[in-house]
Amino acid sequence: MSVRSAKTGAVSREDGQPEAGGGGEQLAFIRETVRKAREPRAKPRTWRGAALAGELPVARVLVDKGLLHLDQYFDYAVPEAMDAEAQPGVRVRVRFGARVVKGRREGGELHDGFVVERLTESDFRGPLAPLAQVLSPEPVLTPRLLALCRAVADRYAGALADVVQLAVPPRRAKAEAEPVTEPLPRREAPEPGSWSRYGTGPAFLQALARGDAPRAVWTALPGPHWPQELARAIAATLASGRGALAVLPDGRAAGRVDAALTELLGAGHHVLLTADAGPEERYRRWLAISRGSARAVVGTRAAMFAPVADLGLVALWDDGDSSHAEPHAPQPHAREVLLLRAAEERAGFLLGGLTCTVEGAQLVDTGWALPLAAGREQVRAAAPLIRTVGDLDEARDAAARAARLPSLAWQVTRDALLRGPVLVQVPRRGYVPRLACERCREPARCGNCAGPLELTGGDSAPRCTWCGRPEAAWHCQECGGFRLRAQVVGARRTADELGRAFPKVPVRTSGRDGILPSVPDAPALVISTPGAEPVAAGGYAAALLLDGWALLNRPDLRAGEETLRRWTAAAALVRPAGEGGTVVVLGEPTLRPVQALVRWDPAGFAVRELADRAELGFPPVSRMASVTGSAAAVADLVATAHLPEGTDVLGPVPLPVSAPGPGRTRRPGDPPPGEQWDRVLLRVRPGTGAALAAALKAAQTARTARKQSDPVRVRIDPPDIG
């Protein structure tokens, strides 16, 4: 007779022996499959009458079901034949959710999982179901990585299984079957190189080479040297016999650091973890880190969980980039994950960028990290000349009117094209991404779904950005007008206009449709959207930062910070002022971000922003959570959660209805198309963020146990709170 295990939801015989079928041939086949570390070709089978492991017959398993009410470990019996392979950290398959009807087992789907511990006995006193199969003898979920995943799940009110999915890449049997290689011998610590431009730069490298754990917020000088400087910090850490990890916002930035580190140390000392490598090659490189064959990692967001042994340095470049925020549950941010790793593993910490975020300024303000910056003389020597054009500058000549440029910008462009390429940053992609009525300036809307209209080319008809329907016969619903005007001009329209203004100059574009990695040192106009600026050999002769109002007027708490970050990233590619490099920014000169760019003082801007946030009680001074869902579901969760004392409840407020058509890219946390959701912000004082996350997780678990169908999405420390 069989009984159902309340602990696992799986089934075992009453005498404690596993219930399944099998025989000697099946045992031999499965052992051979495990030995070769290959994916099973047949459906895994459980074991009937197989003997259990002698010393540690219980395996505690993390089942791959990312549900909050199942966020716990489950105990399974270990068959004797699996004793050698079912070690902590390996992948297994288990039956989950089986039930017994009239003495027969029904249901119980196979799920992947990880063995986290082997025990002599289980807390559950009933019979245990057996492991169905050991998928691979490779220990991929090490105790340190498991502890990190647990800490991240607790901080972000998420399920451990969801975090493990982010941390451990999918298995590739071919990569696992390859032999383990020994790490290369360590190299001597490098010379400071361009780190000498920073007052405490050489001392920071020396501390890493000694095996210390220095913590710094690094405001890098403009120019092309930061990849080499980051590579030297990694090399200094490797010289101490410890490992290093650097996380970059995109593959292009990671590739630059990878090339600099390879040039400095040679191949084999580190691996590059990016999505461009493909699933199998990426898993092969991840295994090289997990097995200790390589001691350093350079990668994008997912590399924040890389299992580097004896970690001596974690580095994050440009933490203000939205790419560092993971879009999948529980949506951790790379900066916070690396802060956890630096604290738990006692590693050095380097938060670098051309600008400084408010979070970086807070680390310095609290004394957790020290500033690492150059003196004003070094800044003036490396930065380009910044010139501004305000709203009152209406002076234009004929050529400038054709290119919608103020005369100052036109003159700078004309002179710079004699010496090299000119970068033009445009905030919006496309041709004319927003249209309005020429008579009353009312935004042009689709007659079918009320979505905004755009132009995709000079001769094309207006098209809806939501449903894609053309609007050849559009007319304004407010005034009856039939003529349209450009409300916002995109990168391709700008390229057309500048091409007409400078007819003999090549025009190149870089954006979402195609990003240029670099451009030659020859006269050319390079039109780019923010974040897609190619690197120019020898630097750009000049740069134009157009339509600053489009960035500064966004209804977002971080609008000024993000605008300065995008402007600085483009301006840093321009030659120094001593070599004639000039940047023209179209923005009101009195605004704080414009003044910070003119003085090239991003750290000072961050300090002032932090003071404003502290006065208003906004993050990062306080901790905050966003709760979104239907009005009833949000109200239910907030009412049932045992929130920390003094929690400020801000809202609810309605969220905009999502676009119904395929033209709009939905983000995680967006309401379903056409459905109205509410949002509540919960704010707590510093030191109670963990209690807030625990309370929200418990409330979510209770709602699931009550089988509440309306989803509620919880996000801790949302980067965009409006």
Side-chain angles (χ1 to χ4, degrees):
M1 185 176 82
S2 300
V3 296
R4 185 182 180 197
S5 165
K7 180 73 175 176
T8 63
V11 178
S12 294
R13 284 173 38 181
E14 195 172 67
D15 58 6
Q17 296 296 322
E19 183 175 65
E25 294 181 359
Q26 287 88 344
L27 284 174
F29 173 75
I30 292 177
R31 284 172 177 163
E32 181 66 15
T33 302
V34 172
R35 186 184 69 80
K36 294 181 178 179
R38 293 178 176 174
E39 295 282 357
R41 297 180 180 274
K43 183 178 180 180
R45 304 181 66 186
T46 53
W47 307 64
R48 183 185 299 278
L52 298 182
E55 294 185 2
L56 300 171
V58 177
R60 189 150 285 173
V61 177
L62 171 65
V63 182
D64 190 7
K65 288 181 70 68
L67 302 175
L68 286 179
H69 68 291
L70 298 177
D71 190 22
Q72 57 182 304
Y73 300 136
F74 297 89
D75 291 348
Y76 286 84
V78 181
E80 183 180 29
M82 297 185 185
D83 188 18
E85 291 85 5
Q87 297 302 313
V90 305
R91 306 176 199 254
V92 294
R93 298 208 85 189
V94 296
R95 288 201 175 272
F96 195 88
R99 59 196 179 105
V100 175
V101 179
K102 295 181 180 181
R104 298 183 60 184
R105 181 179 60 197
E106 294 183 359
E109 297 180 353
L110 283 167
H111 288 277
D112 293 342
F114 298 88
V115 176
V116 299
E117 192 178 5
R118 289 284 297 272
L119 304 170
T120 56
E121 60 181 12
S122 172
D123 296 336
F124 178 69
R125 295 306 176 186
L128 299 177
L131 298 176
Q133 186 180 19
V134 177
L135 289 175
S136 165
E138 186 80 35
V140 291
L141 187 60
T142 61
R144 187 174 291 278
L145 182 57
L146 177 63
L148 173 65
C149 293
R150 179 78 271 173
V152 172
D154 291 342
R155 190 195 187 286
Y156 286 95
L160 175 60
D162 285 337
V163 181
V164 171
Q165 276 193 345
L166 300 176
V168 181
R171 177 182 177 240
R172 292 294 183 270
K174 184 178 178 181
E176 285 187 354
E178 296 177 359
V180 180
T181 58
E182 293 296 324
L184 296 177
R186 72 175 74 171
R187 301 279 297 272
E188 294 293 329
E191 295 296 325
S194 56
W195 275 108
S196 300
R197 302 182 298 167
Y198 305 88
T200 57
F204 182 80
L205 294 189
Q206 292 170 9
L208 292 174
R210 285 196 308 267
D212 296 342
R215 298 180 296 211
V217 175
W218 170 36
T219 306
L221 288 168
H225 302 292
W226 67 263
Q228 288 76 20
E229 291 162 355
L230 187 53
R232 289 181 183 274
I234 296 173
T237 307
L238 295 180
S240 71
R242 300 175 300 165
L245 167 62
V247 179
L248 289 301
D250 53 55
R252 291 191 304 142
R256 294 178 65 185
V257 178
D258 170 59
L261 194 55
T262 301
E263 181 181 358
L264 186 63
L265 295 180
H269 291 272
H270 76 284
V271 296
L272 176 66
L273 286 183
T274 62
D276 297 337
E280 184 169 310
E281 179 59 28
R282 191 174 186 278
Y283 187 56
R284 181 178 292 109
R285 297 176 184 179
W286 189 90
L287 283 178
I289 289 295
S290 179
R291 294 170 171 178
S293 300
R295 296 183 297 130
V297 176
V298 175
T300 48
R301 179 182 60 232
M304 60 184 167
F305 292 105
V308 181
D310 192 14
L311 192 61
L313 173 68
V314 290
L316 182 67
W317 176 259
D318 194 11
D319 64 309
D321 195 300
S322 60
S323 299
H324 287 304
E326 173 61 53
H328 299 97
Q331 300 177 298
H333 195 284
R335 177 184 55 248
E336 305 306 320
V337 174
L338 295 186
L339 284 170
L340 286 173
R341 297 194 70 171
E344 293 298 324
E345 303 183 44
R346 298 181 180 180
F349 180 81
L350 182 61
L351 185 66
L354 295 166
T355 59
C356 179
T357 60
V358 177
E359 288 78 9
Q362 186 190 36
L363 293 177
V364 174
D365 184 66
T366 58
W368 193 88
L370 296 177
L372 204 169
R376 293 306 302 174
E377 292 184 3
Q378 292 287 353
V379 172
R380 283 192 288 269
L385 173 66
I386 309 295
R387 305 185 68 177
T388 63
V389 177
D391 297 335
L392 299 180
D393 188 356
E394 299 293 339
R396 302 172 186 268
D397 57 24
R401 280 195 298 272
R404 70 181 181 92
L405 292 179
S407 52
L408 173 62
W410 189 88
Q411 293 169 4
V412 168
T413 303
R414 181 191 59 189
D415 296 341
L417 285 173
L418 301 176
R419 297 177 280 109
V422 174
L423 176 65
V424 182
Q425 186 191 73
V426 183
R428 302 294 183 92
R429 62 183 179 87
Y431 193 79
V432 179
R434 289 294 182 268
L435 293 166
C437 175
E438 186 182 54
R439 181 188 300 173
C440 68
R441 302 297 194 264
E442 183 71 16
R445 296 283 179 177
C446 172
N448 179 49
C449 68
L453 299 184
E454 69 170 353
L455 283 179
T456 58
D459 299 325
S460 63
R463 183 180 68 91
C464 178
T465 61
W466 286 4
C467 66
R469 175 180 172 180
E471 285 282 345
W474 175 88
H475 68 279
C476 180
Q477 298 294 328
E478 296 294 326
C479 68
F482 290 89
R483 296 177 64 87
L484 290 165
R485 69 185 298 272
Q487 195 175 29
V488 176
V489 177
R492 284 190 285 124
R493 172 69 176 268
T494 302
D496 286 351
E497 293 177 344
L498 291 177
R500 289 193 295 268
F502 301 95
K504 297 182 180 181
V505 178
V507 179
R508 309 175 191 274
T509 59
S510 181
R512 194 177 74 170
D513 296 334
I515 297 179
L516 300 175
S518 60
V519 293
D521 185 15
L525 287 166
V526 181
I527 317 299
S528 172
T529 52
E533 299 90 353
V535 177
Y540 289 97
L544 306 181
L545 309 178
L546 302 183
D547 299 337
W549 59 268
L551 295 173
L552 291 169
N553 291 343
R554 293 183 302 117
D556 193 294
L557 180 66
R558 298 178 181 268
E561 179 183 333
E562 177 66 9
T563 299
L564 179 60
R565 189 186 70 83
R566 294 183 176 187
W567 283 348
T568 304
L573 300 175
V574 180
R575 301 166 188 170
E579 300 177 15
T582 305
V583 175
V584 178
V585 53
L586 273 63
E588 184 58 40
T590 59
L591 296 177
R592 184 184 293 177
V594 180
Q595 283 298 306
L597 181 66
V598 171
R599 297 192 305 271
W600 205 276
D601 184 23
F605 175 86
V607 169
R608 287 187 289 273
E609 283 287 299
L610 180 63
D612 290 346
R613 303 276 185 91
E615 184 177 351
L616 299 173
F618 283 150
V621 178
S622 62
R623 294 289 302 280
M624 189 171 283
S626 170
V627 181
T628 57
S630 65
V634 170
D636 175 67
L637 185 137
V638 174
T640 57
H642 298 287
L643 300 175
E645 184 178 355
T647 301
D648 294 330
V649 180
L650 310 178
V653 295
L655 290 179
V657 178
S658 300
R664 180 183 181 272
T665 301
R666 295 187 66 247
R667 300 176 300 174
D670 282 351
E675 183 176 330
Q676 182 67 61
W677 272 16
D678 281 359
R679 183 186 71 177
V680 166
L681 295 176
L682 304 174
R683 181 173 60 188
V684 296
R685 62 182 182 273
T688 55
L692 175 63
L696 292 175
K697 183 175 180 178
Q700 282 278 62
T701 302
R703 292 190 77 254
T704 305
R706 297 198 309 266
K707 298 183 178 180
Q708 298 287 339
S709 58
D710 290 346
V712 177
R713 295 175 180 173
V714 174
R715 186 168 191 183
I716 304 297
D717 294 336
D720 48 352
I721 62 175

